[in-house]
Every structure is written in C-alpha cells, then in structure tokens.
Amino acid sequence: ESFRFVARDIEGDVSLVVYDAKGSVVYSAVSQSDFEVNTAGYSAGVYFYMATDAAGFKKTGKLLVKE
C-alpha cells in the first residue's frame, strides 16, 4: 500500500514529514511536486503528516494504515 501527497497549493521545494502516533518521524523527503510514501512496512494505526514550503505554508493531515 502507499500514500500519495500532491503539492497543489504549495510553491517550490516542499518538505513532507510523516509521524507515527508517538511523534517519531517515519518518513521525510523534499520534492517539488508529488510524494509517494510506501506504507507496506508500517504498523497498522494512525499517522500524521506535515508538508511545508520555503515560505512557511503548512498543510497537515492524518492517514490510517490498515493491516
């Protein structure tokens, strides 16, 4: 399984960080467009993400990984 994030409202380089429920970083990357996060190795549960651009714009959300 995977999680796809499309940076539509964000300009330039975008940093995407995914956290587990304990706040530990499980994924981090920088791109100028889309992200494809492979969640196959993740434990089932709730994860949170934050995308940030150079201007400080932030978009946050959560995703549910099922078994």
Side-chain angles (χ1 to χ4, degrees):
E1 292 194 20
S2 65
F3 163 70
R4 185 178 177 116
F5 179 83
V6 179
R8 291 191 184 142
D9 300 327
I10 303 175
E11 305 264 337
D13 285 343
V14 178
S15 169
L16 178 68
V17 181
V18 179
Y19 304 90
D20 64 14
K22 295 179 182 179
S24 300
V25 174
V26 295
Y27 176 87
S28 179
V30 175
S31 178
Q32 288 190 346
S33 59
D34 302 352
F35 294 88
E36 187 82 27
V37 181
N38 183 354
T39 59
Y42 291 14
S43 299
V46 177
Y47 292 80
F48 303 90
Y49 66 86
M50 180 170 57
T52 310
D53 70 5
F57 177 83
K58 293 181 181 178
K59 182 171 179 93
T60 60
K62 56 184 165 179
L63 74 122
L64 178 64
V65 175
K66 298 180 182 179
E67 288 185 359

